[in-house]
Amino acid sequence: MKKTTLLPVCAALCLLAGCRSSIPDLPGDWVLVTEQRGWGRIMSLEPDGSAHAANFPNTILETWQLEDRQLILSGKIVYHGQPVAFSDTLTIDRSSSADTLVLTNGELTQRFRRL
């Protein structure tokens, strides 16, 4: 009888493990994949939760955190010389892998590759 109840539990755990496997290890440098060569827009996610951006105009990344499949980025956008705080919640797409990070927000999809 114990085998009967153990099998569904094991199956559920395997499914949960499979769902998390498409979330790459996030700390590191990620470059935005664009059709324009030479721009090199880079998002750096540090293990301590801090974040930095290079070549993202008017964007100052400060922190990141992961909640389920949501990547939450916080920082400042500079408008007319004045910094304005922002927090953006992006969904990590299931097509992400160890070297590819696919982020969606509504109709917007951005692909990053690990440097």
Side-chain angles (χ1 to χ4, degrees):
M1 221 184 249
K2 287 186 181 182
K3 288 182 184 177
T4 305
T5 58
L6 187 58
L7 183 60
V9 171
C10 288
L13 289 174
C14 289
L15 284 173
L16 287 174
C19 291
R20 285 241 357 129
S21 67
S22 64
I23 298 177
D25 186 28
L26 292 178
D29 295 329
W30 298 90
V31 63
L32 180 64
V33 177
T34 65
E35 293 179 10
Q36 298 175 345
R37 298 239 184 246
W39 278 89
R41 293 183 176 188
I42 299 169
M43 173 176 64
S44 298
L45 305 177
E46 304 297 333
D48 67 357
S50 63
H52 311 283
N55 295 329
F56 279 87
N58 303 323
T59 303
I60 303 167
L61 280 183
E62 295 175 338
T63 63
W64 71 275
Q65 63 183 11
L66 180 65
E67 290 184 9
D68 297 320
R69 299 194 66 79
Q70 307 293 312
L71 174 63
I72 302 167
L73 298 172
S74 299
K76 294 184 178 78
I77 299 284
V78 180
Y79 287 110
H80 303 291
Q82 298 296 319
V84 178
F86 78 90
S87 181
D88 201 2
T89 301
L90 306 158
T91 300
I92 299 174
D93 191 85
R94 295 193 187 283
S95 65
S96 296
S97 65
D99 61 350
T100 302
L101 178 61
V102 182
L103 301 174
T104 61
N105 185 351
E107 304 244 342
L108 176 67
T109 298
Q110 295 179 311
R111 294 184 183 282
F112 291 82
R113 67 177 168 78
R114 188 179 296 277
L115 283 179

